[in-house]
Amino acid sequence: TRAAAQFKYFLSYGQAEEDCIDVLIMDEAHRIRATTASRYTPKDKRSGLAQIEELLKAAKVSVFFIDDLQVVKPDEIGSVSYIADFATRHNCKIFDYELEAQFRCQGSEAFVNWINNTLDVRKTANVIWDIDENFEFKIFDSPFDLENAIKNKVASGATARVAAGFCWKWSDPNPDGTLVDDVVIGSFKRPWDAKHDAKKLAPGIPKASFWAYDPNGINQIGCVYTAQGFEFDYVGVIFGRDLYYEPDEATWKGRRSLSADPNVKKAKTDEQFMSLVKNTYRVLLSRGIKGCYVHFLDPETKNFFKSRMDFKKPASITEYRETQIEKEVDAKLKYREYLPVFSLEAAATRFGKEEQVEEIGWVKINAGRRLTETMFVAKVIGKSMEPTIPENSFCIFRFDRGGTRDNLVVLVESSRIIDPELTGKYSVKRYHSEKEIFDDGTWRHKVITLSPDNKDFEPIVLKDVPAGDFRIVAEFIGIVD
């Protein structure tokens, strides 16, 4: 609220006085419209100018951040050439700069160029995607596998979301505030994220503006209008049938009838429709910083993408283990041959309660280890516990049973933890505690030391921690073979 005076919209300057602003910085300027006025704008509020002219008039210095290839609606016209043309007409001094490095896609210009070339958005030299250790691009045969892989990344502490092309209607919430399962692919049924104008939402369902970083956002599918402008460590993309590759003609084609986007369906020509849908998938595929996972509904489109990939490099042990996670297993095999895979947060939620939480899946444990219902599997990221726990290992934990835990490797939870390798309030470290007991029988942790086994990392030291603000969730048992 305090910053509201500094943050406006492109339509905020229709009545602004000339040069009333020293510097006006405009992000996503490709979304500029032809005019600010709509049919509801009173005559005395209409400037008679194009929206770009209102903006140029209001500011002494105008700064535009533009990506022509992120235009995803027919009425978004703020291209570089369009803005430069008006600036020239108004005798503006023009400075043109190009972003030469980026953080998205692990700074991989090659990946962005490959997407541009593969979608035929722009011809580049990156025709083939060489499997890159620094940026993961994977194709999954089912939406369940895609979702599981994304949830595994969240379980390991990464930021990740699933998004999709706008190929399904976007319903209003049910009367009780729950969301409708609009995105249906066979037995896979998931809701879109909440609409921006949704008034009533059930507990646990984030508003649209919070979908990207609320933990419960992982349970909904985001569309381009929600995902655009955000970055995640990993993005999962469901590539719909509104855009497909026709191998016999060696060209891309669009299916307007299979689009549920009311904006894009208004495209004046088939060429404009296809351009907007291509830009939509380009935006979605480039949301990931470390990786992009895709499920294609059209088999020919999937095959075309695969034909543009070099699969020389073998899968890592971590990737192999993730493929072994099964969504469902026979109930008789649970806790006999299989253990559930939880995120750290889900494990902490379940700890000490009868409450059931949704597991990511189930993983088979090699024979010879006695399993119990107090055990679970979680992925531990980072190198701080090497060599005891190699980076990205799937580890077996047992919910805490009390007793001495000194010098044991444990999963702990506290609001005071700042672990450089994990997000949130969790850490997997070697535990040591010094307690202070008071005359009334109460006590507190005087000093808790969470030590890494890798001496290149510093221990986490917590002092004067109230008993209720720290708990040992589980004990590390071993690594999944």
Side-chain angles (χ1 to χ4, degrees), residues 61-105:
V61 177
S62 300
V63 181
F64 300 90
F65 292 122
I66 310 168
D67 183 352
D68 288 351
L69 301 181
Q70 284 203 43
V71 172
V72 295
K73 291 182 181 179
D75 57 354
E76 295 176 349
I77 60 173
S79 65
V80 173
S81 59
Y82 177 82
I83 293 173
D85 179 55
F86 275 92
T88 301
R89 284 194 232 167
H90 289 76
N91 300 315
C92 298
K93 194 172 183 180
I94 300 175
F95 299 86
D96 191 0
Y97 301 94
E98 185 170 351
L99 181 67
E100 295 181 354
Q102 60 163 340
F103 292 104
R104 192 178 296 149
C105 304

Side-chain angles (χ1 to χ4, degrees), residues 69-170:
L69 301 181
Q70 284 203 43
V71 172
V72 295
K73 291 182 181 179
D75 57 354
E76 295 176 349
I77 60 173
S79 65
V80 173
S81 59
Y82 177 82
I83 293 173
D85 179 55
F86 275 92
T88 301
R89 284 194 232 167
H90 289 76
N91 300 315
C92 298
K93 194 172 183 180
I94 300 175
F95 299 86
D96 191 0
Y97 301 94
E98 185 170 351
L99 181 67
E100 295 181 354
Q102 60 163 340
F103 292 104
R104 192 178 296 149
C105 304
Q106 203 78 336
S108 177
E109 195 70 21
F111 179 76
V112 177
N113 286 340
W114 178 67
I115 291 296
N116 288 339
N117 193 83
T118 304
L119 290 175
D120 198 21
V121 171
R122 176 185 291 166
K123 292 298 182 184
T124 71
N126 301 88
V127 178
I128 301 296
W129 173 244
D130 295 319
I131 305 303
D132 191 335
E133 293 179 351
N134 295 319
F135 185 82
E136 294 182 80
F137 180 80
K138 294 195 218 173
I139 296 174
F140 290 82
D141 291 333
S142 84
F144 289 108
D145 291 341
L146 172 72
E147 182 184 60
N148 286 341
I150 289 297
K151 286 189 173 182
N152 284 339
K153 292 300 181 183
V154 172
S156 69
T159 58
R161 287 293 182 271
V162 177
F166 206 153
C167 299
W168 297 268
K169 67 177 182 178
W170 195 354

Side-chain angles (χ1 to χ4, degrees), residues 136 314-321:
E136 294 182 80
S316 68
I317 294 297
T318 299
E319 290 169 341
Y320 171 77
R321 177 54 61 198

Side-chain angles (χ1 to χ4, degrees), residues 416 445-448 461-466:
R416 301 188 177 204
H445 293 284
K446 187 176 182 180
V447 179
I448 295 172
V461 180
L462 308 176
K463 296 183 179 181
D464 300 328
V465 183

Side-chain angles (χ1 to χ4, degrees), residues 178-196:
T178 58
L179 301 179
V180 179
D181 286 335
D182 286 323
V183 181
V184 179
I185 307 168
S187 59
F188 180 88
K189 299 178 181 181
R190 299 291 184 270
W192 288 114
D193 60 279
K195 284 187 173 182
H196 287 270

